[in-house]
Amino acid sequence: GLDEVAVPDTVDADIDRFRDVMIADGTVLRLHEFLSDEYEARKEEQAGAKLHLLHNATEQTIEQLDVTDEKTHDSTLFNTGSWLEDRLVLFDRAYFKYRRFALIDENDGYFISRLKESADPVVKEELREWRGRAIPLAGEQIHDVVDDLHREYIDVEVEAEFDRRPYGGTQSRDTKRFRVVGVRKEDADDYHLYITNLPREEFLPSDLGTIYRCRWEVELLFRELKTQYELDEFDTTKEHVVEILLYAALLSLLVSRELLDLATEQADDEIVFPPERWAATFRSHAQLILHELGEYLGYSPPPLLDRLIEDAQKIHQQRPVLQETLATATQPRCES
């Protein structure tokens, strides 16, 4: 199963039936304005990069990462294919595309996405009966009726129309049925609306809302990268240094998570390590870890005092040379 950070304990549905639960997401990194040609931002006179991650919440690994300029849409970095088989992918609205959802389904994968405000598919049938004078939804468009509903959940089958990828110079339209689920927000009068292809026999509306909360894990990854490994403090004006700092932060994150796995194995079962507390602890011990790692790998740095003396000697030795150079340069040339 997933670890306790990834999926809340309240999920009754069988999460283990998926090979992996994947989360796709991106975050913006603000860069020095001198890099605006290399990393174009949404606003003029700014520079911004975007880090796109495909996070495997089951294995606790980053499966794919891409760095683009800020203007590149998250959605273009997600490729469908046979790798999706038996995997569940969680998306936010940035990835919303009916054609993408159809291809995931056709590759025997599963998805849950938030329903985009502008997406208004037509309800074909309701997937559960409501007693009494419930408003019938068949034939309606979701956003037209959602404000009038008071039931705890919405669970309907919708039909969506979309363009297939052009093939042989022709563009074809297609339709596909998906499931739309609404879960009432706590202390609010409206719903979280999700679109999915998970079967209603196995996954209740409440299960979908709970599983979708796993997406918070990738937000924690981004927050850890920015707060602990200074991924939002790029002062450099050099493109290659941006990449070095980015990979250094990602490697730090991976090492931190590997050590967290070790700590979890070693500690008593009832001990819980909040990821952000762990990240701060890891960072505060980073120098010590590097020192121990260096000793283990056989790297012995020269004694500190010897290094100081050696470096100070270099400065001293350079001065007479510099004085001679200046003296030579300022002497009047003798005419032959």
Side-chain angles (χ1 to χ4, degrees):
L2 302 180
D3 76 21
E4 62 202 351
V5 179
V7 171
D9 297 331
T10 48
V11 174
D12 296 323
D14 184 13
I15 288 292
D16 288 336
R17 64 161 290 181
F18 303 116
R19 186 155 50 130
D20 294 301
V21 175
M22 315 291 284
I23 308 164
D25 207 356
T27 190
V28 173
L29 311 170
R30 190 58 57 221
L31 304 179
H32 195 289
E33 61 192 45
F34 286 0
L35 286 168
S36 58
D37 286 346
E38 293 86 352
Y39 291 103
E40 214 177 333
R42 292 187 183 280
K43 293 181 182 173
E44 285 184 28
E45 297 174 17
Q46 277 193 356
K50 207 160 197 188
L51 172 64
H52 310 262
L53 293 185
L54 183 61
H55 176 60
N56 185 328
T58 310
E59 299 292 334
Q60 288 294 296
T61 54
I62 294 170
E63 296 273 327
Q64 183 188 335
L65 67 94
D66 294 281
V67 184
T68 65
D69 66 3
E70 188 186 340
K71 278 193 161 181
T72 301
H73 204 277
D74 290 323
S75 182
T76 58
L77 275 297
F78 186 87
N79 295 314
T80 47
S82 58
W83 69 271
L84 285 157
E85 187 178 344
D86 290 333
R87 288 193 160 109
L88 169 65
V89 191
L90 308 179
F91 295 111
D92 71 358
R93 292 187 186 97
Y95 294 84
F96 191 98
K97 207 176 267 183
Y98 290 135
R99 184 172 72 199
R100 171 170 293 121
F101 300 154
L103 286 168
I104 292 171
D105 191 63
E106 286 154 19
N107 277 288
D108 298 320
Y110 299 92
F111 71 92
I112 306 174
S113 168
R114 291 291 289 276
L115 187 70
K116 210 172 183 177
E117 292 290 332
S118 58
D120 219 359
V122 175
V123 177
K124 284 299 178 184
E125 67 170 301
E126 296 194 51
L127 298 177
R128 61 178 288 183
E129 296 295 320
W130 294 92
R131 288 194 300 274
R133 296 173 54 200
I135 299 171
L137 302 184
E140 301 284 356
Q141 289 179 291
I142 286 284
H143 290 300
D144 290 348
V145 291
V146 76
D147 291 340
D148 301 326
L149 300 178
H150 302 289
R151 58 189 72 168
E152 190 180 355
Y153 300 111
I154 299 167
D155 198 356
V156 295
E157 188 174 74
V158 300
E159 188 167 84
E161 200 175 333
F162 61 97
D163 289 324
R164 286 282 180 186
R165 206 177 283 278
Y167 186 75
T170 59
Q171 176 91 64
S172 63
R173 295 287 284 169
D174 204 347
T175 59
K176 197 164 181 82
R177 290 195 174 198
F178 300 109
R179 180 183 174 200
V180 168
V181 164
V183 180
R184 280 193 91 76
K185 296 176 185 174
E186 287 178 31
D187 308 321
D189 199 26
D190 58 347
Y191 296 86
H192 289 297
L193 290 171
Y194 305 101
I195 185 166
T196 186
N197 64 338
L198 290 175
R200 69 175 298 262
E201 303 78 45
E202 295 173 68
F203 295 90
L204 298 170
S206 57
D207 293 330
L208 294 191
T210 311
I211 294 168
Y212 191 79
R213 291 203 332 249
C214 307
R215 255 191 44 76
W216 179 239
E217 182 166 319
V218 82
E219 303 295 345
L220 288 177
L221 284 186
F222 289 141
R223 202 156 82 186
E224 186 174 326
L225 285 166
K226 290 182 176 184
T227 56
Q228 300 299 334
Y229 313 124
E230 295 171 3
L231 209 55
D232 58 349
E233 295 176 29
F234 289 101
D235 291 331
T236 181
T237 58
K238 295 181 173 62
E239 187 179 358
H240 64 276
V241 177
V242 169
E243 289 186 17
I244 289 167
L245 292 170
L246 184 64
Y247 284 109
L250 285 162
L251 287 168
S252 301
L253 176 76
L254 293 174
V255 171
S256 170
R257 291 301 169 100
E258 282 295 314
L259 286 172
L260 175 55
D261 278 354
L262 278 175
T264 308
E265 276 179 32
Q266 293 282 325
D268 295 334
D269 288 346
E270 66 273 9
I271 296 177
V272 175
F273 298 100
E276 294 195 307
R277 173 72 60 81
W278 173 265
T281 308
F282 168 74
R283 185 181 168 173
S284 67
H285 288 72
Q287 286 301 110
L288 193 60
I289 293 166
L290 280 173
H291 180 72
E292 292 219 355
L293 193 61
E295 285 199 340
Y296 172 74
L297 294 171
Y299 298 126
S300 49
L304 186 58
L305 197 58
D306 290 358
R307 284 174 59 191
L308 287 168
I309 291 167
E310 190 184 340
D311 284 354
Q313 285 290 313
K314 282 179 187 167
I315 296 165
H316 182 67
Q317 286 161 4
Q318 283 169 359
R319 282 187 65 186
V321 179
L322 187 63
Q323 284 169 347
E324 283 169 28
T325 310
L326 280 170
T328 312
T330 53
Q331 274 175 4
R333 290 213 175 108
C334 299
E335 291 182 10
S336 52

